């Protein structure tokens, strides 16, 4: 299998109140093309920071992050932005939208930077994505006129608009009720089946249980890993149980 | 506790606090300056008027004088306090040599006189009447200012040697706007000079009751006394003395007023941003039971500290800057008798600014009342959700590049927020354009049209003499033969009498000839075309109570004749009381004869002036451009100085406010910036978006400011210039004002935007995208 992300010996610390806190300590992680990977861990374990450093949104103190053939740790700001825009997609816990644009305008925004002339085609594509996620009729609403779950679906649409190689999700279901959360997960699963690599950070064992592989973090290190394989409908309860058990072990 | 809170807050928001203080400083300094300058100007004029004992009524007269008849009139009129007749020996400029400078090109009527016996003294720099010794010459103060003369230099007047012993102040003729200047010599020297010039008389009266000056004027005219020359009154002397500095004060007042508004806009913006930021905290304070007044005090205390610092430093600055600005007033008119009052008034002005600021903050803080503790804690600031607009759609946009679209869209959807910057840019633009347009207008060649002159190059004048007819023929011949003259027209000024409403007769100076050749600006109406039409100067129109379309009765050679008033125009020369008509009046006494001349090539003015003076020694040739320069030079220079200061101030404001605004905006937009970066927008994209916002507001601001400058500004400038007797002003602008000023503003705005948004690139996605 081809590597899509290869992080080697990543160190990262933050300075707060003149005190340096090590958030990532010698973390190495490899993600393969087409994989659906989840990262779990208690608060402050460094899982979100890992996601931000692997996606080039945050810098590392030392170590190396490679994305396909790009060395992200040596890329400039503009090059990183280009990679994020053209080859990556992001879904955040809070709906990160521009408040003065409509839903559909927010979705086409990353693509409009490079493809202004194809606005018609883009709008059609965005509309199709909205239909796929079941919110086709909300295209022209403002962001404050829809629910959190609907907004998160729109977030997936925006992540998909440039047909990225990988989608990063930072607790994408964290602010949703369980019904909405599952609807979002269904979208991720479908996207993954269509070939897009997905990396999620989550607290939720049921969410993690739907991925192929779960990494467990504690105190800035990856302490354990669980290979679940492809999801089949019957297996989900059993998988959730396995994830929960592992998580309890990690937290102890 | 307050002190600590204030200190922490000031340190945390250094730029904002500093800028707010700076604007309050500037506003206070200007308000205080206006107080100081005004009171000094008024005081100095009063001092000068008192020390020189300016006459209340002055009749200039050339020709024979019936001394006895005048004395009888003065003795017989109950309102006359004192009366005198002074000599004014007019000597042509070429015969006056002051040090290395010859007054040949000087357009003033330079006259020589001795110290007057009873009033209208010529005084020294200490305010005492000067008694020159033999061989001493005292020179009008204006010639010190323009560097024409210096103490101790040798002067040669009509071949006679003098030493310049000092400079004199003259209550009547001090100002460059006054058309005559008086030199002072000893009685003995005066006798020797007498044959070298033409004698004019200044018939002067001081009145017991100044308020009844109009009755006195009428009585003087009714007696048929000497009137061959302009009539002037003490109020006119005061106006002429105060005009140049008055316009400067008016411009400072205008700029000061606008800066007070800008200071308010700054306070409003920063305070509202702060309240929005602190929304939850305010809710918490309310929730735990702090009273509204207590919460207000915390905010008020901070701004009170800033306002106090600003007002104090502004007051200091005004004391420092008032000195150089007072120099001109002091030089021309001496110390003000109210000098000690000026400081008090300045302090009072500063206190007013301080109270205004505090009052305004109180007014802004009233919105605390509407903050609900519960909803503030639950939801935070309501923000501006309600005003966010859907249009224009990005999905319908094909025209604008994405970054420009996002910039413009942001401005459109947060209009209230951007209104602050817009208003500041608009006012800055206004402050830049109005003084410059005023300067351009006054210095443009066509400005003479407002003064009762057309756009002519030369004016050849002749005064009545026995050879007038013969001389007239010679002039006609000479001018008609000259191929370099593009246009020439003869205008004869005649003294006629007109009937007033009450039946009394009043002297009226009528310029007869073709008035369409060199058209002037009419405040209302048009030039007289028919023989039964007449145009009146605005002062005459007021004097006779006439408007366009009314009729006025004038005694001509055909007896009492009615004329229709065809137009009213502004005129500051000849006492401002003139009329224009096309009829002929052979038998009426001619006051003077003018030829208005336009040359093919304006570069030839100097040569042609020389040529005509040589060929026709009996005429006076006036280079009208030079004439205007000498009359208005000082005024134009002070307007230009004010305009340049205004330009720099406006650019500074533009830069500073843009910088402050953009910095606050970036802080406010942290989360949106993080989102844009996360989905792949580069720092350069962000810079472009902010630049687009800046430019978009600038375009609206400059457009609005220009429109405002050309409407409201024109009216304001018109009011200032109306003191010249110019009533209906239209700006004459130069393209560079509308081309270069916006480019300058653009440059400054972009620079400030760039500096102000440089932090946007450093915003961490991870920390801010979650908010």
């Amino acid at each position: 299998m081809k590597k899509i992300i290869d992080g080697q010996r990543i160190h990262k610390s933050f300075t707060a109140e003149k005190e340096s806190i090590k958030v990532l300590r010698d973390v190495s992680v490899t993600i393969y093309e087409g994989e659906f990977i989840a990262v779990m861990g208690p608060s402050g374990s460094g899982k979100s920071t890992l996601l931000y450093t692997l996606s080039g949104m945050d810098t590392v103190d030392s170590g190396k992050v490679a994305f396909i053939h790009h060395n992200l740790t040596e890329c400039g700001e503009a090059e990183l932005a280009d990679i994020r825009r053209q080859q990556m997609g992001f879904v955040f816990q809070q709906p990160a939208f521009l408040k003065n644009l409509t839903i559909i305008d927010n979705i086409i925004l990353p693509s409009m930077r490079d493809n202004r002339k194809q606005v018609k085609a883009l709008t059609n594509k965005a509309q199709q994505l909205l239909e796929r996620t079941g919110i086709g009729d909300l295209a022209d609403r403002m962001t404050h006129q829809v629910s959190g779950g609907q907004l998160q679906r729109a977030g997936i649409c925006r992540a998909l608009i440039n047909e990225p190689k990988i989608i990063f999700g930072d607790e994408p279901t964290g602010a949703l009720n369980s019904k909405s959360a599952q609807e979002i997960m269904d979208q991720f699963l479908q996207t993954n089946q269509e070939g897009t690599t997905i990396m999620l950070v989550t607290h939720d064992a049921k969410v993690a249980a739907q991925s192929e592989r779960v990494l467990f973090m504690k105190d800035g290190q990856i302490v354990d890993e669980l290979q679940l394989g492809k999801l089949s409908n019957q297996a989900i309860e059993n998988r959730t149980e396995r994830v929960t058990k592992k998580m309890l072990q990690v937290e102890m | 506790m307050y002190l600590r809170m204030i200190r922490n807050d000031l340190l945390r928001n250094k730029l904002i606090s500093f800028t707010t203080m700076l604007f309050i400083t500037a506003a206070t300094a200007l308000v205080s300056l206006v107080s100081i300058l005004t009171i000094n100007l008024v005081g100095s004029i009063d001092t000068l008027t008192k020390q020189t004992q300016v006459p209340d009524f002055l009749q200039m007269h050339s020709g024979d004088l019936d001394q006895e008849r005048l004395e009888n009139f003065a003795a017989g009129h109950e309102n006359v306090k004192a009366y005198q007749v002074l000599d004014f020996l007019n000597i042509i400029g070429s015969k006056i040599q002051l040090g290395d400078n010859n007054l040949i090109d000087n357009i003033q009527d330079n006259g020589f006189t001795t110290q007057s016996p009873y009033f209208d003294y010529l005084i020294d720099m200490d305010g005492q009447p000067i008694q020159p010794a033999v061989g001493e010459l005292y020179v009008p103060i204006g010639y010190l200012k323009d560097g024409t003369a210096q103490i101790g230099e040798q002067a040669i007047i009509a071949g006679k040697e003098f030493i310049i012993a000092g400079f004199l102040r003259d209550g009547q003729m001090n100002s460059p706007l006054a058309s005559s200047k008086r030199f002072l010599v000893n009685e003995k020297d005066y006798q020797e000079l007498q044959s070298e010039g033409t004698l004019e008389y200044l018939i002067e009266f001081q009145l017991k009751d100044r308020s009844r000056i109009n009755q006195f004027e009428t009585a003087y005219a009714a007696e048929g006394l000497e009137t061959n020359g302009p009539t002037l009154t003490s109020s006119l002397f005061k106006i002429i003395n105060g005009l140049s500095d008055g316009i400067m004060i008016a411009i400072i007042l205008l700029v000061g007023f606008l800066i007070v508004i800008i200071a308010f806009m700054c306070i409003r913006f920063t305070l509202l941003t702060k309240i929005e930021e602190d929304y939850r905290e305010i809710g918490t304070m309310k929730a735990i039971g702090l009273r509204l007044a207590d919460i207000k005090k915390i905010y008020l205390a901070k701004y009170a500290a800033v306002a106090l610092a600003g007002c104090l430093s502004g007051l200091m600055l005004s004391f420092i800057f008032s000195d150089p600005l007072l120099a001109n007033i002091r030089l021309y008119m001496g110390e003000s008798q109210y000098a000690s009052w000026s400081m008090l008034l300045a302090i009072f002005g500063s206190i007013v600014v301080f109270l205004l600021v505090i009052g305004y903050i109180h007014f802004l803080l009233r919105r605390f009342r509407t903050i609900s503790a519960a909803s503030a804690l639950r939801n935070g600031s309501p923000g501006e959700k309600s005003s966010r607009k859907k249009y224009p759609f990005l999905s319908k946009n094909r025209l604008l590049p994405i970054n420009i679209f996002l910039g413009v869209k942001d401005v459109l959807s947060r209009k209230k927020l951007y209104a602050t910057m817009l208003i500041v840019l608009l006012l800055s633009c206004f402050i830049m354009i109005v003084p410059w347009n005023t300067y351009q207008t006054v210095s443009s060649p066509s400005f003479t049209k407002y003064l009762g002159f057309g756009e002519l190059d030369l004016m050849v004048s002749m005064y009545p003499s026995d050879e007038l007819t013969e001389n007239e023929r010679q002039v006609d011949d000479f001018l008609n033969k000259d191929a370099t003259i593009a246009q020439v027209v003869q205008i004869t000024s005649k003294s006629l009498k007109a009937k007033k409403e009450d039946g009394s007769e009043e002297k009226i100076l009528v310029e007869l000839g073709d008035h369409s050749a060199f058209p002037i600006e009419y405040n209302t109406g048009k030039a007289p075309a028919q023989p039964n039409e007449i145009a009146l100067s605005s002062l005459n129109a007021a004097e006779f109570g006439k408007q366009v379309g009314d009729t006025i009765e004038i005694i001509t050679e055909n007896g009492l004749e009615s004329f229709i008033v065809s137009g009213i125009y502004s005129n500051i020369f000849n006492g401002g009381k003139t009329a224009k008509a096309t009829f002929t009046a052979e038998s009426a006494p001619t006051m003077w004869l003018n030829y208005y001349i336009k040359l093919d090539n304006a570069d030839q003015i100097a040569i042609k002036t020389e040529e005509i003076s040589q060929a026709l020694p009996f005429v006076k040739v006036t280079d009208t451009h030079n004439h205007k320069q000498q009359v208005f030079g000082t005024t134009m220079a002070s307007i230009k100085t004010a305009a340049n200061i205004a330009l720099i101030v406006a650019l500074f404001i533009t830069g500073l406010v843009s910088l402050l605004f953009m910095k606050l905006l970036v802080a406010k937009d942290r989360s949106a910036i993080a989102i844009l970066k996360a989905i792949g927008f580069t720092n350069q994209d962000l810079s472009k978006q902010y630049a687009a916002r800046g430019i978009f507001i600038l375009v609206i601001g400059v457009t609005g400011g220009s429109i405002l400058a050309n409407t409201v500004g024109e009216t304001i400038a018109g009011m200032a210039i109306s003191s010249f007797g110019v009533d209906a002003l239209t700006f004459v602008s130069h393209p560079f004002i509308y081309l270069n000023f916006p480019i300058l503003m653009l440059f400054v705005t972009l620079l400030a935007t760039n500096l102000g948004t440089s932090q946007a690139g450093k915003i961490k996605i991870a920390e801010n995208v979650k908010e």
Side-chain angles (χ1 to χ4, degrees):
Chain A
M1 271 203 294
K2 265 167 80 181
K3 290 178 186 173
I4 185 162
I5 284 195
D6 191 13
Q8 292 299 323
R9 314 206 60 172
I10 300 168
H11 285 263
K12 174 82 185 169
S13 51
F14 289 122
T15 314
E17 311 267 314
K18 288 173 189 165
E19 218 174 305
S20 180
I21 302 159
K22 290 194 168 151
V23 193
L24 294 180
R25 297 190 290 179
D26 201 21
V27 177
S28 296
V29 60
T30 306
I31 302 171
Y32 298 94
E33 253 179 30
E35 218 183 355
F36 192 143
I37 187 166
V39 185
M40 287 195 79
S43 296
S45 60
K47 54 188 191 302
S48 284
T49 307
L50 178 66
L51 181 138
Y52 286 113
T53 50
L54 291 182
S55 61
M57 277 202 270
D58 212 341
T59 53
V60 297
D61 295 345
S62 67
K64 185 185 158 189
V65 179
F67 171 70
I68 312 178
H69 52 271
H70 303 279
N71 181 355
L72 295 190
T73 34
E74 280 172 11
C75 283
E77 178 270 332
E79 200 182 339
L80 282 173
D82 289 345
I83 293 171
R84 278 202 298 276
R85 188 176 66 251
Q86 290 157 356
Q87 306 189 53
M88 297 175 175
F90 295 90
V91 182
F92 302 97
Q93 180 179 10
Q94 300 287 335
F97 286 99
L98 295 189
K99 294 190 189 103
N100 59 5
L101 296 183
T102 58
I103 300 278
I104 195 158
D105 283 357
N106 261 296
I107 292 170
I108 61 171
L109 182 61
S111 195
M112 276 292 276
R113 188 186 178 282
D114 305 317
N115 310 303
R116 177 157 58 96
K117 297 283 183 278
Q118 285 99 48
V119 60
K120 191 111 195 178
L122 273 176
T123 313
N124 288 339
K125 187 172 168 190
Q127 189 61 42
Q128 279 168 16
L129 286 169
L130 285 167
E131 307 280 351
R132 193 190 100 165
T133 53
I135 49 169
D137 50 341
L138 302 181
D140 289 335
R141 296 268 185 95
M142 299 304 278
T143 55
H144 64 271
Q145 295 171 321
V146 300
S147 74
Q150 291 167 332
L151 214 48
Q152 209 57 311
R153 293 189 212 189
I156 293 177
C157 296
R158 180 177 64 187
L160 289 172
I161 191 78
N162 274 341
E163 296 166 13
K165 297 209 163 55
I166 181 168
I167 291 179
F168 294 95
D170 184 12
E171 309 235 21
T173 61
L176 303 178
N177 62 37
S178 60
K179 182 168 170 280
S180 296
Q182 191 51 50
E183 282 165 2
I184 295 298
M185 279 313 291
D186 291 344
Q187 293 300 332
F188 278 120
L189 287 165
Q190 191 189 338
T191 307
N192 181 239
Q193 273 161 21
E194 287 161 10
T196 309
T197 313
I198 289 174
M199 177 189 182
L200 297 186
V201 165
T202 182
H203 267 114
D204 188 341
K206 196 181 168 200
V207 167
Q210 298 176 57
S211 67
E212 290 172 59
R213 181 157 69 111
V214 187
L215 303 176
F216 294 93
M217 287 192 74
K218 189 183 178 184
D219 299 333
Q221 287 180 310
I222 295 176
V223 292
D224 213 335
E225 186 177 328
L226 190 64
Q227 286 286 353
L228 294 168
K230 289 281 179 199
L231 178 72
S232 60
N233 282 339
Q234 296 79 10
I236 185 147
E237 265 102 47
N238 177 277
R239 289 162 73 116
T240 309
E241 219 166 279
R242 285 172 65 195
V243 172
T244 312
K245 210 188 249 171
K246 197 73 158 183
M247 188 65 208
L248 283 171
Q249 281 172 15
V250 168
E251 283 184 2
M252 282 224 287
Chain B
M1 183 185 74
Y2 281 148
L3 266 179
R4 208 175 50 232
M5 284 178 86
I6 292 169
R7 204 188 55 206
N8 285 345
D9 202 80
L10 290 183
L11 288 178
R12 219 174 335 132
N13 303 301
K14 272 182 236 128
L15 181 76
I16 295 170
S17 311
F18 179 70
T19 312
T20 311
M21 194 190 90
L22 210 64
F23 278 111
I24 297 175
T25 303
T28 316
L30 291 173
V31 168
S32 160
L33 258 186
V34 168
S35 320
I36 294 175
L37 292 179
T38 309
I39 205 137
N40 273 291
L41 180 64
V42 172
S44 292
I45 292 174
D46 273 0
T47 310
L48 183 71
T49 308
K50 264 192 201 144
Q51 285 174 343
T52 58
Q53 300 209 29
V54 174
D56 296 316
F57 177 86
L58 167 71
Q59 175 65 55
M60 295 179 95
H61 179 75
S62 56
D64 292 336
L65 188 85
D66 189 342
Q67 193 99 24
E68 203 185 317
R69 192 173 56 158
L70 277 167
E71 265 164 33
N72 287 338
F73 168 76
H77 198 281
E78 40 87 28
N79 200 12
V80 173
K81 189 168 102 188
Y83 148 82
Q84 67 186 6
V85 176
L86 298 180
D87 284 2
F88 181 85
L89 184 68
N90 199 336
I91 293 181
I92 58 167
S94 58
K95 287 192 186 172
I96 303 173
Q97 179 81 28
L98 303 172
D100 298 330
N101 297 311
N102 189 283
L103 298 190
I104 185 158
D105 289 329
N106 188 286
I107 51 96
Q108 295 279 356
D109 286 330
N110 291 296
F112 288 75
T113 186
T114 55
Q115 185 62 274
S116 54
Y118 306 120
F119 57 94
D120 192 16
Y121 301 120
L122 301 174
I123 57 171
D124 62 16
M125 299 299 117
D126 299 323
Q128 300 301 317
I130 304 166
Q131 301 299 342
V134 175
E136 281 185 349
L137 176 70
Y138 283 83
V139 179
I141 188 79
Y143 291 130
L144 170 66
K145 179 79 198 297
D146 64 16
T148 308
Q150 247 138 58
I151 287 184
E153 281 181 335
Q154 196 188 45
I156 299 168
I157 314 297
K160 189 171 158 47
E161 284 182 20
F162 288 91
I163 288 291
I164 299 177
F167 292 93
L168 63 86
R169 296 198 181 112
D170 181 337
Q172 290 184 29
M173 305 177 184
N174 233 2
S175 164
L177 294 170
S179 57
S180 310
K181 293 283 166 284
R182 285 193 282 188
F183 289 77
L184 183 64
V185 293
N186 184 279
E187 183 69 40
K188 183 170 164 287
D189 293 328
Y190 181 75
Q191 297 301 336
E192 290 172 27
L193 281 178
Q194 213 153 19
S195 58
E196 299 293 339
T198 47
L199 189 62
E200 281 178 49
Y201 295 103
L202 308 180
I203 304 164
E204 305 184 334
F205 294 89
Q206 278 194 323
L207 302 182
K208 289 174 188 154
D209 179 4
R210 264 177 222 150
S211 62
R212 290 192 289 131
I213 184 111
N214 282 337
Q215 283 104 305
F216 181 81
E217 260 190 280
T218 316
Y220 186 90
E223 284 292 313
L225 298 168
E226 283 71 3
T227 54
N228 191 14
T231 313
L232 305 159
T233 56
S234 59
S235 52
L236 185 70
F237 299 141
K238 281 195 184 183
I239 292 173
I240 286 181
N241 277 328
L243 213 54
S244 295
D245 293 297
I247 287 184
M248 180 175 78
I249 292 176
I251 291 179
I252 295 177
L253 185 68
L254 171 71
V255 174
F257 175 70
L258 295 179
I259 287 187
V260 171
I261 296 181
I262 290 172
F264 276 20
M265 296 307 302
C266 268
I267 291 170
R268 179 178 178 272
F269 180 62
T270 53
L271 186 61
L272 295 190
T273 310
K274 185 90 183 103
I275 292 177
E276 201 175 304
E277 234 171 69
D278 295 353
Y279 212 78
R280 263 174 219 273
E281 281 174 40
I282 296 166
T284 312
M285 286 192 269
K286 266 191 153 180
I288 63 170
L290 278 182
R291 288 169 56 180
L292 211 59
D294 296 328
I295 305 173
K296 267 188 172 182
K297 248 185 229 163
I298 296 167
Y299 287 84
L300 211 52
K302 179 196 154 191
Y303 278 91
V306 171
L308 189 70
C311 285
L312 283 178
S313 44
L315 190 63
M316 295 299 156
L317 278 183
S318 72
F319 287 147
I320 296 168
F321 281 115
S322 62
D323 251 29
L325 291 177
L326 281 173
N328 195 45
I329 299 176
R330 286 206 182 114
L331 178 70
Y332 271 97
M333 289 172 272
E335 281 294 337
S336 163
Q337 53 180 332
Y338 308 130
S340 50
W341 282 96
S342 72
M343 200 170 277
L344 278 181
L345 200 72
I347 292 170
F348 177 73
S350 309
I351 293 173
V352 168
V353 173
F354 179 78
L355 291 179
L356 274 177
V357 171
I358 298 295
Y360 185 63
I361 292 163
H362 246 293
F363 172 77
L364 287 176
L365 290 177
R366 81 198 183 285
R367 69 184 57 212
F368 276 1
R369 252 179 276 154
T370 61
I371 297 178
S372 135
S375 84
L377 287 172
R378 231 186 0 250
N379 309 323
S381 163
E384 290 160 88
K385 265 179 201 157
S386 53
S387 69
R388 291 192 188 274
K389 293 281 184 314
K390 281 185 175 183
Y391 306 99
F393 288 116
L394 178 61
S395 45
K396 301 263 186 328
N397 166 63
R398 239 172 277 252
L399 191 66
L400 296 174
I402 180 81
N403 291 318
I404 296 176
F405 176 88
L406 288 176
V408 171
K409 168 101 192 185
D410 193 61
V411 175
L412 289 177
S413 55
R414 293 196 286 179
K415 291 192 196 78
K416 264 193 167 170
L417 178 73
Y418 287 97
T420 309
M421 188 169 166
L422 176 68
I423 291 173
V424 171
L425 290 180
L426 196 136
L427 292 180
S428 295
C429 182
F430 186 82
I431 293 176
M432 278 176 150
I433 291 179
V434 173
W436 261 100
N437 266 351
T438 309
Y439 172 70
Q440 283 294 335
T441 307
V442 176
S443 60
S444 81
S446 63
F447 186 63
T448 54
K449 284 188 190 173
Y450 290 103
L451 306 175
F453 268 116
E455 274 183 81
L456 40 133
D457 292 326
L458 290 176
M459 186 167 79
V460 171
S461 313
M462 274 194 303
Y463 296 93
S465 68
D466 298 339
E467 301 91 40
L468 185 65
T469 329
E470 168 55 20
N471 289 348
E472 202 181 326
R473 199 188 51 73
Q474 276 190 46
V475 175
D476 283 341
D477 279 357
F478 182 87
L479 295 179
N480 287 335
K481 263 190 289 180
D482 195 326
T484 64
I485 289 174
Q487 201 178 6
V488 61
V489 64
Q490 190 201 57
I491 303 285
T492 317
S493 290
K494 298 250 179 193
S495 182
L496 296 165
K497 287 214 167 119
K499 269 221 148 77
K500 279 179 118 171
E501 294 288 298
D502 59 8
S504 62
E505 286 175 3
E506 177 95 1
K507 182 186 75 172
I508 186 166
L509 190 72
V510 187
E511 297 166 356
L512 298 172
D514 177 8
H515 296 287
S516 59
F518 290 98
I520 59 161
E521 287 288 332
Y522 286 83
N523 300 343
T524 50
K526 55 179 182 50
Q530 304 301 322
N532 67 338
E533 285 182 333
I534 191 166
L536 299 177
S537 74
S538 50
L539 283 180
N540 259 337
E543 170 109 23
F544 289 97
K546 299 294 178 197
Q547 284 172 340
V548 174
D550 291 353
T551 54
I552 182 167
E553 292 185 318
I554 294 176
I555 302 162
T556 65
E557 47 201 357
N558 307 326
L560 199 60
E561 245 186 302
S562 281
F563 292 91
I564 300 164
V565 178
S566 66
I568 293 170
Y569 60 93
S570 309
N571 186 4
I572 67 160
F573 298 114
N574 304 316
K577 292 182 180 182
T578 56
K580 293 177 193 289
T582 55
F583 62 88
T584 49
E586 293 298 337
S587 60
T590 299
M591 303 293 286
W592 56 81
L593 209 72
N594 283 336
Y595 290 86
Y596 294 167
I597 296 167
K598 179 123 193 126
L599 299 177
D600 279 329
N601 183 355
D603 298 339
Q604 301 293 313
I605 289 176
I607 298 168
K608 193 54 72 183
T609 306
E610 189 61 36
E611 202 182 307
I612 297 174
S613 305
Q614 295 284 339
L616 306 165
F618 49 86
V619 300
K620 180 178 175 189
V621 187
T622 310
D623 165 354
T624 52
H625 303 279
N626 186 21
H627 183 262
K628 193 181 122 215
Q629 183 58 37
Q630 289 196 27
V631 176
F632 291 106
T634 318
T635 310
M636 284 195 285
S638 61
I639 296 178
K640 193 177 182 183
T641 309
N644 273 328
I645 292 172
L647 177 69
I648 293 165
V649 166
L651 281 179
F652 184 70
I653 293 172
T654 304
L656 195 64
V657 172
S658 304
L659 178 68
L660 173 81
F661 184 83
M662 287 299 172
K663 262 194 146 36
L664 285 171
L665 203 58
V666 168
K668 231 175 143 91
D669 287 354
R670 279 192 310 270
S671 132
I673 290 169
I675 295 168
L676 281 168
K677 287 179 81 163
I679 60 172
F681 280 80
T682 62
N683 289 346
Q684 209 192 357
D685 288 329
L686 291 172
S687 295
K688 282 183 195 163
Q689 289 176 24
Y690 280 97
R693 299 181 197 192
I695 294 170
F696 185 52
I697 304 167
L698 187 75
V699 168
I700 301 174
V702 166
T703 312
S706 307
I707 293 171
L708 215 62
N710 273 303
T711 51
V712 180
E714 197 176 75
T715 312
I716 295 174
M719 285 192 305
I721 297 180
S722 69
S723 39
F724 287 124
V726 176
D727 292 337
L729 183 88
T730 309
F731 270 153
V732 176
S733 193
H734 198 278
F736 83 71
I737 291 178
Y738 293 104
L739 198 72
N740 290 10
F741 286 12
I743 290 175
L744 271 176
M745 280 182 86
L746 180 72
F747 179 73
V748 170
T749 310
L750 281 183
L751 192 75
T753 303
N754 236 317
L755 276 173
T757 56
S758 59
Q759 294 299 315
K762 297 194 183 116
I763 286 176
K764 290 254 187 290
I765 303 170
E767 289 160 30
N768 293 292
V769 80
K770 289 177 185 168
E771 277 175 28

